[in-house]
Amino acid sequence: MSSEQSSSGQYLVLLAAFCYGLNPLFGQLLFKEGLGPEMVSLYRFIIPAILFAFFLRTPRENRAEALRTLLLGIAGGISIYSFFHALQVLPAATAILIYYTYPVFSVLIGWVIYRRAPSQNALISAALVAIAASLTVSPQTISADLWFTLASCFLAPLVVASQVQYLSNPRKKIPTTNRMAWITIGHIIILLPLAIWLSPMQVLPVTALGYGALLGIALLAAAIPQVLFMLGAPRSNVDKNALIGSLELVVAMLTGAVLLGEELHQLEITAMALIMLALFIKQVKEQPNIKMASG
């Protein structure tokens, strides 16, 4: 892979991370409209699913890869509901920081499961992200009845980390539109029945701002960055892809402060500075797979 391709891939992943960082903003706006986490989660994917449904047709030789992508989408549907539920009932900063620890989980999953030995720089960057996230945690603000919700929120970074690792180097390459179709359908397989089962009292926003947030979470924070990531990730370094995702936490915190009036404390500002430092640590192009000793 040429350095030009690698750079262009990283720029696409960086732009995707910026867009993904808008999810908490749009989610909180929709909560204020009276929508529950099941409807917010569903709206995030149902519009992209409709748009990409025209690309579901898959040649026989690509069907195994389509199935793997569908399973990623199903796992994503479960995890995104867990995140938006946590965002509604936990302190927003706590849920957001848990979600955006996925770059750390990505490095660990790549190391343990995919046998991709991380470089020393990748480990240092991941450690900085972990420290940054921990600075904004306030366990004393979590009541005992919310500990299960807190634990379930960790599904989101685990699933996103797995997606980053797999989509950066999929077992088989298929057209981006085809992969998008299957991954969004996977989300809908979980989220649509969940929304029907919960029978929410309110299913639509009540203001123009709410409808704008609905379109924003579906297009600007879901469909567009997903396409950007799927185009850019295979051209970039897998460790860098994971760590670029930490930019999402900065975007989420800044948009919350500027647009929702949430206060940024000194520790949160320090956390953002550490994340930016992690982003500027250079990652090597490739790491060898870990060789397991034979018994």
Side-chain angles (χ1 to χ4, degrees):
M1 182 189 302
S2 68
S3 58
E4 290 81 5
Q5 286 179 316
S6 178
S7 296
S8 65
Q10 288 182 14
Y11 290 136
L12 290 173
V13 174
L14 187 66
L15 185 55
F18 178 87
C19 293
Y20 279 137
L22 299 174
N23 270 296
L25 168 67
F26 292 131
Q28 289 172 294
L29 288 174
L30 289 171
F31 291 151
K32 291 180 180 179
E33 294 285 305
L35 272 66
E38 69 284 346
M39 293 308 302
V40 174
S41 305
L42 179 61
Y43 282 135
R44 185 174 186 258
F45 292 104
I46 196 166
I47 294 178
I50 293 171
L51 294 175
F52 286 100
F54 300 100
F55 303 98
L56 278 171
R57 188 174 181 178
T58 305
R60 183 182 298 273
E61 63 271 18
N62 290 345
R63 287 177 185 172
E65 183 64 22
L67 178 60
R68 287 188 286 268
T69 304
L70 177 69
L71 293 175
L72 283 177
I74 289 172
I78 297 170
S79 68
I80 200 65
Y81 171 76
S82 299
F83 168 66
F84 280 121
H85 176 66
L87 186 63
Q88 188 181 42
V89 300
L90 295 177
T94 300
I96 290 170
L97 78 89
I98 289 174
Y99 183 91
Y100 292 122
T101 56
Y102 78 79
V104 180
F105 285 104
S106 182
V107 171
L108 294 177
I109 288 172
W111 191 358
V112 175
I113 296 178
Y114 290 95
R115 300 179 183 179
R116 295 168 181 159
S119 66
Q120 183 178 17
N121 285 357
L123 291 174
I124 293 172
S125 297
L128 287 174
V129 173
I131 293 169
S134 68
L135 290 177
T136 59
V137 178
S138 300
Q140 66 273 15
T141 64
I142 309 299
S143 59
D145 60 316
L146 293 177
W147 279 101
F148 178 77
T149 299
L150 182 72
S152 68
C153 191
F154 279 94
L155 284 173
L158 284 169
V159 171
V160 172
S162 300
Q163 291 177 343
V164 168
Q165 284 291 324
Y166 185 78
L167 295 174
S168 294
N169 188 20
R171 188 171 298 183
K172 181 178 177 62
K173 291 184 178 181
I174 60 176
T176 299
T177 49
N178 186 234
R179 195 181 294 279
M180 276 293 301
W182 284 106
I183 201 167
T184 52
I185 287 296
H187 285 87
I188 299 304
I189 286 174
I190 294 297
L191 297 173
L192 183 57
L194 180 64
I196 294 172
W197 179 60
L198 292 175
S199 301
M201 295 293 294
Q202 186 174 337
V203 297
L204 290 172
V206 294
T207 68
L209 178 62
Y211 279 98
L214 190 154
L215 290 174
I217 203 168
L219 300 178
L220 191 59
I224 292 174
Q226 189 77 45
V227 172
L228 291 172
F229 183 84
M230 288 186 179
L231 290 173
R235 306 178 190 176
S236 181
N237 170 269
V238 63
D239 286 340
K240 193 66 175 179
N241 291 342
L243 295 166
I244 285 175
S246 59
L247 177 66
E248 296 177 30
L249 177 58
V250 177
V251 174
M253 293 172 69
L254 287 178
T255 53
V258 174
L259 300 178
L260 298 179
E262 297 174 355
E263 187 177 357
L264 283 179
H265 300 287
Q266 183 177 357
L267 286 179
E268 293 167 331
I269 295 172
T270 303
M272 288 190 289
L274 288 174
I275 287 172
M276 296 307 295
L277 177 61
L279 286 174
F280 282 104
I281 296 178
K282 186 176 181 180
Q283 307 301 321
V284 298
K285 291 183 179 180
E286 290 188 17
Q287 287 298 316
N289 288 347
I290 300 173
K291 294 184 178 179
M292 306 298 292
S294 57

